[in-house]
Amino acid sequence: WLHATTRIPPSTQKFPRTRACCAPGAGHRNASSTSQLACRAGRGAPCYVRRMDKLLARLERRFGNLTIHGLTFYMVMFQGLVLVLELGKPGFSNWLMLDRERILGGEFWRLFAYMAIPPTTSPIWGLFAIALYYTMGTSLESQWGSFKYQLFLLLGMLMTTVYGFALDVPATNAYILLSLFLAFATYW
């Protein structure tokens, strides 16, 4: 009933056609393609995915020697130490929060120390959260590699610092840990 050459007007198409920016035969021709949603960086991936992979590979070649292998272990160790200190002296984690006024007052160590604050101060839930964080962090580090994992954490720290300074609110690592959970959930 409809001939194969019948064209549907562009205004009634469910998904508009997109410009293919990849090499001929390798790019996505239609935005409704399910392979575009679940693509990898190989053949058939959109250009922005391949460009990002090239950029990350270039950065890893240049700065890959600066990575700390097993960073999650050290972070979990510091979070466990802060949890013990918090149980001994309640309010200890307030000394580690990212607070703009205190940083401008000279306490520059707060720019990094807020990553050592445990997710909760309850002993049982704190140990559970730290063990969960260790599992998620080591899994992502083995999946992505040390460089990409640390870049993910560094960008999270940078955005948290910008957030804390822009809104003048004390900030913790809660959003970084939640984004780590969401990244873990995309793989497993």
Side-chain angles (χ1 to χ4, degrees), residues 23-87:
H28 296 290
R29 301 281 186 239
N30 191 341
S32 66
S33 171
T34 56
S35 62
Q36 183 178 8
L37 299 176
C39 67
R40 298 278 187 238
R43 181 172 167 81
C47 287
Y48 59 87
V49 173
R50 284 197 251 155
R51 286 183 192 137
M52 182 58 71
D53 281 345
K54 284 181 183 179
L55 174 67
L56 288 175
R58 207 173 328 134
L59 287 173
E60 188 169 3
R61 277 193 305 271
R62 183 172 223 169
F63 301 111
N65 59 344
L66 301 175
T67 59
I68 302 169
H69 298 284
L71 178 67
T72 305
F73 173 75
Y74 299 115
M75 292 178 68
V76 164
M77 197 170 64
F78 283 121
Q79 285 183 354
L81 178 67
V82 170
L83 180 64
V84 169
L85 292 173
E86 180 73 30
L87 293 174

Side-chain angles (χ1 to χ4, degrees), residues 117-145:
I117 298 173
T120 182
T121 57
S122 169
I124 293 175
W125 287 111
L127 290 175
F128 176 73
I130 288 173
L132 185 65
Y133 173 59
Y134 178 75
T135 302
M136 292 186 303
T138 54
S139 298
L140 284 175
E141 189 172 6
S142 67
Q143 180 76 22
W144 289 344

Side-chain angles (χ1 to χ4, degrees), residues 78-129:
F78 283 121
Q79 285 183 354
L81 178 67
V82 170
L83 180 64
V84 169
L85 292 173
E86 180 73 30
L87 293 174
K89 182 181 180 192
F92 179 78
S93 61
N94 292 336
W95 287 85
L96 303 176
M97 284 183 142
L98 183 69
D99 188 5
R100 181 172 82 170
E101 298 302 321
R102 292 187 178 180
I103 291 172
L104 294 176
E107 298 178 7
F108 297 110
W109 47 269
R110 288 178 179 264
L111 290 171
F112 302 102
Y114 71 94
M115 287 299 291
I117 298 173
T120 182
T121 57
S122 169
I124 293 175
W125 287 111
L127 290 175
F128 176 73

